[in-house]
Amino acid sequence: MTKHKVGRFFLATCVGSLFMVILYFQNITRPAVEQPGGKGIGPGKTRRSPLQTLYNEDQLDMSAVQGSLRGRRELLEEACLTHTRKRRVLTPDDLRHLIVDDKHGLLYCYVPKVACTNWKRVLMVLTGDGRYREPLAIPANEAHVAGNLRTLSEYSTGEINHRLRRYLKFLFVREPFERLVSAYRNKFTRSYNTAFHKRYGTKIIRRHRPHPEPEALEQGNDVSFQEFVQYLVDPRTQREEPFNEHWERIHSLCHPCLIHYDVVGKYETLEQDSRSVLRLAGADGEVHFPTSGKSTRTNGNMAAQFFHNISPFYQKKLYNLYRMDFLLFNYSNPEYLRFR
């Protein structure tokens, strides 16, 4: 059989509550044709897994889209080798953001503020056995209900290893500061997000606003972007608890230097990259990725406006906090930054 380099994958054994993870490169023979759940399709059936389709196309398809996806994988690989020195043990908690579609052989690492609501809707259609037919008919809050979709952390060690080796692993990324501004706008400037105002806004105001009004301390609903930035770079913040997933760094949510992602989609080419994933999964006839009708989507110009009143000192500290996301996913430093 022809040999293909599939890249890094996990060999894990359970030690206590931790997975001992060994990462290495190995040339392996083309995976046996099998159902995503692990059982062979049987004689006469020729269905390929998404992973097989992707790496076969790498050899045959020289289209711009396929070349772009391959280039992102290679850039991520190089960045990991260049900028990470220390390997660590991966825990089951690290797999909580990896959603599993056993029917189509997919592992999706969801990143808040990078179209994850629509991707969860799509996966609910794909895994719902007919319960759902149209992604946008699924309410946004229902897409985020725990239990509607399974995550990799719910499986046994052997099942985890099988899926990491055999399934197509993908994530979608976004320019880090545009994602951060989007998270701020959604969680701190919308009147309906009272849970975030109480949980985070009151703490931010108490620590980072001189002489706050009693109402602000109680409601937490008028946090400025400058106060939000101060909260993020304050060493006490992460000492006390992990970042909320909406502003946690992508590399901390999805661990792209420990898990070999086959497709790195980008928010900037969301519809094109989503079509590619669904085509690889053989699901493009079952569901279409919803197009966005938003006219106020956070972009570079909007992010520049928010950063205008952030001092170079805090811009530098914030950049250092999100530096790995810039490097790993090949995003340039924004031109509006003034700390150079």
Side-chain angles (χ1 to χ4, degrees), residues 85-129:
R85 296 283 183 267
K86 196 173 183 182
R87 300 299 186 189
R88 70 170 182 79
V89 173
L90 201 68
T91 70
D93 268 355
D94 294 323
L95 307 176
R96 289 183 302 109
H97 272 247
L98 280 160
I99 294 173
V100 180
D101 175 359
D102 281 323
K103 182 179 177 182
H104 298 87
L106 298 174
L107 291 177
Y108 162 58
C109 185
Y110 74 89
V111 178
K113 308 312 301 177
V114 193
C116 80
T117 301
N118 278 344
W119 260 113
K120 287 181 178 182
R121 285 166 162 158
V122 166
L123 287 166
M124 287 173 70
V125 172
L126 293 180
T127 62
D129 297 323

Side-chain angles (χ1 to χ4, degrees), residues 182 184-194 197 296:
S182 178
Y184 166 77
R185 292 178 64 215
N186 180 251
K187 301 307 176 187
F188 294 105
T189 69
R190 303 289 190 264
S191 60
Y192 54 79
N193 268 323
T194 54
H197 301 161
T296 57

Side-chain angles (χ1 to χ4, degrees), residues 259-279:
I259 298 172
H260 175 79
Y261 285 96
D262 306 292
V263 174
V264 179
K266 291 205 167 187
Y267 191 73
E268 294 79 10
T269 51
L270 174 63
E271 293 177 15
Q272 170 185 290
D273 296 343
S274 297
R275 284 196 302 270
S276 294
V277 171
L278 292 174
R279 180 182 57 79

Side-chain angles (χ1 to χ4, degrees), residues 32-50:
V33 176
E34 59 178 56
Q35 294 279 15
K39 295 183 179 179
I41 291 178
K45 302 291 182 71
T46 58
R47 178 183 172 188
R48 290 175 175 169
S49 73

Side-chain angles (χ1 to χ4, degrees), residues 283-315:
D284 46 343
E286 298 177 52
V287 64
H288 295 285
F289 190 83
T291 56
S292 175
K294 289 184 179 179
S295 59
T296 57
R297 177 185 288 184
T298 303
N299 56 27
N301 290 334
M302 187 178 292
Q305 295 174 19
F306 277 86
F307 273 83
H308 180 73
N309 293 324
I310 305 300
S311 71
F313 173 79
Y314 278 108
Q315 287 185 4

Side-chain angles (χ1 to χ4, degrees), residues 188 193-204 206 218-220 231 237 240-244 247:
F188 294 105
N193 268 323
T194 54
F196 272 81
H197 301 161
K198 291 282 190 179
R199 174 75 177 79
Y200 297 101
T202 54
K203 178 188 291 187
I204 292 171
R206 185 168 64 250
E218 182 182 351
Q219 300 295 328
Y231 162 78
T237 299
E240 293 174 356
E241 61 180 344
F243 275 170
N244 180 276
W247 48 84

